Amino acid sequence: MGRPRTPLLDRRRIGAAALTLADEKGALTIPALARALGVAPSALYHHVSGRDEIISLMREELVRTTGADKVWAQPWESGLEDWARTYLSAFAAHPGAVPLLATAPLAEPFMHAMYEKVAALLVSGGFTADKVLPVITALESFVLGSALDLVAPSVMLSDVSRDTAPHLSSVLEHTPADPGRAARAFDIGLRALLTGFRDLLAP
Amino acid sequence: MGRPRTPLLDRRRIGAAALTLADEKGALTIPALARALGVAPSALYHHVSGRDEIISLMREELVRTTGADKVWAQPWESGLEDWARTYLSAFAAHPGAVPLLATAPLAEPFMHAMYEKVAALLVSGGFTADKVLPVITALESFVLGSALDLVAPSVMLSDVSRDTAPHLSSVLEHTPADPGRAARAFDIGLRALLTGFRDLLAP
């Protein structure tokens, strides 16, 4: 018997299936992933050593499909903005995987390659070495939270009473109830963060 | 037979158990919650109408136990900072529940009461009505992402190669590997956001 031309499992399929599963269930277990792929858990272990490696494959798939490893522009402000926007799209496509990916250590060379580009951008922009990682981390936290907001309903506050919450009611009347709600909040927050980061450059 | 003095279920116990469950599993289903409480699903429905009401109870428990509904200080910058810090503690205590709570509509009067205080703070600080909700939303996104980072390992980047990632290696040498990593990133990001928000007040 010849071997099948297309292997039933490969690392890329595992990464994509794990992303989908984490997205739908908010959690990832080896038995559930094996079920989703239609194989026995033992077959999975032919390809990956365990959960940590699966999370790496998820990251690889995310970075590969969205180009979040590219930091296009100089100077640092437009480069950081480009990176934040690509990163937002990547995570907004997989909101259920956000907590998993946000809390697993980053040991993968392709993730280091991405952070190397962002670090070089900030160092060349004049940030001192002790500020670079806190700035990257703060921006990532904002992007992760915004990705969750992007998949939330376009109207989050409803049935607000004018009697008990007059300021909030008035503010809501001035806030368009449309799908652009989360994107506008992201724009204002990103602009504010970049403005504030620039202040860290002051001598 | 007399009725038991302590009811087997009450709304507060349901909210607390749902928070714990979402925290551990990253997901919430009625059957799983009933199992965790040691009752039949039908018993749960005597107390809540469904999933939305359970999410409300989770929010109520979170706000009640952490005081995130208090906005203490004037002027707006210190008030907003106090709120962000309390909100961070609340969510960092329940990271698995973050995606669920971040994406469910806010229909509860006690949540409206919290947002009313923050909205009043910003309006009195001089923000125009169209800016208030985007500012609150951007700050919340940053807080939610930071809550996930706060429960991540204190060393997120490991085994970085000096050859392939020289900037990142150098930056890591200047970054203390200690439990304060996430707190420092939060401080820098919060300061940057407040600085940037202040710019929105310019005429």
Side-chain angles (χ1 to χ4, degrees):
Chain A
M1 289 199 329
R3 280 196 281 171
R5 286 280 178 112
T6 310
L8 281 173
L9 275 187
D10 62 42
R11 293 166 55 84
R12 208 168 127 180
R13 253 195 80 205
I14 294 171
L19 260 186
T20 305
L21 183 67
D23 221 16
E24 285 167 359
K25 306 285 181 197
L28 179 75
T29 64
I30 303 269
L33 180 58
R35 257 198 314 278
L37 285 160
V39 301
S42 57
L44 254 184
Y45 283 110
H46 286 297
H47 297 266
V48 294
S49 59
R51 190 181 155 83
D52 286 354
E53 197 172 345
I54 294 173
I55 292 178
S56 288
L57 293 176
M58 293 164 71
R59 281 212 181 100
E60 197 165 354
E61 178 72 10
L62 202 67
V63 164
R64 197 184 54 74
T65 51
T66 57
D69 59 334
K70 299 188 195 74
V71 177
W72 303 272
Q74 303 281 351
W76 70 266
E77 280 182 273
S78 44
L80 214 55
E81 178 171 347
D82 284 353
W83 181 58
R85 290 189 184 280
T86 321
Y87 217 57
L88 178 73
S89 315
F91 278 109
H94 301 284
V98 164
L100 203 60
L101 298 175
T103 53
L106 299 150
E108 306 89 0
F110 66 90
M111 290 302 282
H112 295 172
M114 178 179 81
Y115 286 107
E116 169 67 10
K117 288 181 195 172
V118 186
L121 190 74
L122 290 174
V123 169
S124 74
F127 287 86
T128 55
D130 60 316
K131 296 287 198 321
V132 170
L133 273 188
V135 162
I136 293 176
T137 306
L139 183 60
E140 279 189 311
S141 292
F142 173 65
V143 167
L144 291 176
S146 299
L148 295 177
D149 188 42
L150 215 59
V151 298
S154 58
V155 176
M156 280 295 278
L157 287 154
S158 56
D159 302 320
V160 172
S161 152
R162 187 183 295 270
D163 293 335
T164 54
H167 292 92
L168 189 60
S169 297
S170 157
V171 154
L172 278 168
E173 276 164 26
H174 289 84
T175 308
D178 66 41
R181 178 192 64 77
R184 266 193 308 277
F186 178 75
D187 287 346
I188 278 197
L190 182 58
R191 183 71 33 224
L193 273 177
L194 293 173
T195 301
F197 290 157
R198 204 187 307 131
D199 258 34
L200 296 174
L201 291 172
Chain B
M1 284 196 340
R3 279 195 283 171
R5 286 279 180 112
T6 311
L8 282 173
L9 276 186
D10 61 44
R11 293 166 55 85
R12 210 168 127 180
R13 253 195 82 204
I14 294 172
L19 261 185
T20 305
L21 182 68
D23 220 17
E24 284 166 1
K25 306 286 182 196
L28 179 75
T29 64
I30 303 267
L33 180 59
R35 258 197 313 278
L37 286 160
V39 301
S42 58
L44 255 183
Y45 283 110
H46 284 298
H47 297 266
V48 294
S49 59
R51 191 181 155 83
D52 286 353
E53 196 172 345
I54 294 172
I55 293 177
S56 289
L57 293 177
M58 294 166 69
R59 282 211 181 101
E60 196 164 354
E61 178 71 11
L62 203 67
V63 164
R64 197 184 55 73
T65 51
T66 58
D69 58 333
K70 299 187 193 75
V71 178
W72 302 273
Q74 302 283 351
W76 70 266
E77 279 182 274
S78 43
L80 214 55
E81 178 171 346
D82 285 352
W83 182 58
R85 291 190 183 280
T86 321
Y87 218 55
L88 177 73
S89 316
F91 278 109
H94 302 284
V98 163
L100 203 61
L101 298 175
T103 53
L106 299 150
E108 307 89 1
F110 65 90
M111 291 301 282
H112 295 172
M114 179 178 79
Y115 286 107
E116 169 66 10
K117 288 181 194 171
V118 187
L121 190 73
L122 290 173
V123 169
S124 74
F127 287 86
T128 54
D130 61 316
K131 295 286 197 322
V132 170
L133 272 189
V135 162
I136 293 176
T137 306
L139 183 60
E140 279 189 312
S141 292
F142 173 65
V143 167
L144 291 176
S146 300
L148 295 177
D149 188 41
L150 215 60
V151 299
S154 57
V155 177
M156 280 295 278
L157 287 154
S158 55
D159 302 320
V160 173
S161 152
R162 188 183 295 270
D163 294 335
T164 53
H167 292 93
L168 188 59
S169 298
S170 155
V171 153
L172 278 168
E173 278 164 23
H174 289 84
T175 307
D178 65 41
R181 179 193 65 76
R184 266 193 307 278
F186 178 75
D187 286 346
I188 279 196
L190 181 58
R191 182 72 32 224
L193 273 177
L194 293 173
T195 301
F197 290 156
R198 204 186 310 131
D199 259 35
L200 295 173
L201 292 172

